[in-house]
Amino acid sequence: MGSTLDIALPALKSNPKFIFFTDFDGTITQQDSNDWMTDNLGFGPELRKKGNEDVLYGRRDFRDSFADMLDSIKTPFNECIELLLKNITLDPGFQQFFEWAKENNVPIVILSGGMEPVIRALLAHMLGKEEAETLQIVSNDVAPRQGKSVNEAGGWHIVYHDDSGFGHDKSLEIRPYARLPAEERPVLFYAGDGVSDLSAAKETDLLFAKSGRDLVAYCERESVPFTTFQDFTEILATVKDIVAGKTTVKEAATGRK
């Protein structure tokens, strides 16, 4: 494949036959870092859950609801990071999945509605800095408020990746891969759990939706094929079978287990 295509679609660099796109918060991690901050440092779980419900049922854009959540957090950004490092844990199966994917040329691309500095800090803490730097992350950013530093109280805000109602429309990253000619197109997977994943839900060959979370309800309501997972050990088993030709993406899309 040409170098221009490799730059535009970096996950193609190793000429893979499979690409694994994934959400970060509540998918790679056991807890959602943004939910944790909102519940413990911001306006609390009741308003957060109401906002998520409004997004799930189309009453409000994720972009506005999520900004309200984060704006309610006044804790300096460096203190937020320190607290998250103590309270957010890695999915018990992700390390093994990460190592298998690296050995078998299955690029992992993290598509997150969260903030890249948070994700980088957590991954460096959980996987080690060198390993974390091998992962492509497409996410939102953080910036200081006017006249302030991010490490002051009320000093930071989210900077969205794009102008969409999602703030980060994950489908925009996946579709160029999906539209490749059949002979060049890898099989595409996506794993997610919540309202930030709605933009990606219909874009890949197989969707893994975390059991008991909002994404499952959305897929059932919108008739989106999916399979559920509890943790990455289940994802690894399914992806291994597909890579080995023991099953197909269509056969794996069994819905709620």
Side-chain angles (χ1 to χ4, degrees), residues 66-95:
F66 194 57
D68 283 352
M69 279 174 50
L70 298 181
D71 287 346
S72 76
I73 301 162
K74 306 304 180 187
T75 307
F77 193 71
N78 60 333
E79 292 180 25
C80 289
I81 295 291
E82 288 172 14
L83 287 165
L84 292 174
L85 293 180
K86 294 174 183 174
N87 288 282
I88 305 301
T89 52
L90 192 68
D91 176 280
F94 185 75
Q95 179 90 44

Side-chain angles (χ1 to χ4, degrees), residues 22-94:
T22 179
D23 175 48
F24 180 74
D25 282 292
T27 302
I28 288 176
T29 60
Q30 291 186 289
Q31 308 83 8
D32 186 303
S33 65
N34 306 295
D35 289 357
W36 189 92
M37 287 192 292
T38 303
D39 291 356
N40 293 278
L41 307 174
F43 58 38
E46 187 175 339
L47 285 175
R48 174 182 62 78
K49 290 175 182 176
K50 173 65 168 61
N52 285 347
E53 186 180 280
D54 287 344
V55 174
L56 186 62
Y57 291 97
R59 295 189 290 264
R60 201 167 185 220
D61 283 343
F62 177 82
R63 180 191 195 96
D64 296 333
S65 177
F66 194 57
D68 283 352
M69 279 174 50
L70 298 181
D71 287 346
S72 76
I73 301 162
K74 306 304 180 187
T75 307
F77 193 71
N78 60 333
E79 292 180 25
C80 289
I81 295 291
E82 288 172 14
L83 287 165
L84 292 174
L85 293 180
K86 294 174 183 174
N87 288 282
I88 305 301
T89 52
L90 192 68
D91 176 280
F94 185 75

Side-chain angles (χ1 to χ4, degrees), residues 117-222:
V118 170
I119 297 166
R120 290 280 179 202
L122 285 168
L123 284 173
H125 178 68
M126 295 166 174
L127 297 176
K129 189 175 180 183
E130 286 186 16
E131 296 284 45
E133 286 176 352
T134 66
L135 288 166
Q136 182 190 351
I137 300 172
V138 185
S139 188
N140 303 305
D141 208 345
V142 174
R145 294 189 184 277
Q146 190 170 1
K148 292 198 171 191
S149 155
V150 294
N151 295 330
E152 291 180 50
W156 60 274
H157 67 97
I158 190 168
V159 177
Y160 282 114
H161 181 265
D162 56 53
D163 295 328
S164 70
F166 296 100
H168 175 202
D169 184 344
K170 299 179 182 185
S171 70
L172 300 179
E173 191 70 24
I174 299 171
R175 280 178 191 164
Y177 293 93
R179 291 171 177 167
L180 288 168
E183 65 275 11
E184 296 178 21
R185 184 192 184 285
V187 173
L188 308 177
F189 302 102
Y190 186 83
D193 72 313
V195 291
S196 76
D197 301 305
L198 304 188
S199 63
K202 301 176 182 179
E203 302 298 329
T204 58
D205 300 301
L206 180 60
L207 171 67
F208 294 91
K210 195 160 191 178
S211 295
R213 302 293 178 86
D214 289 338
L215 186 57
V216 173
Y218 172 82
C219 290
E220 289 179 337
R221 195 176 76 242
E222 299 293 323

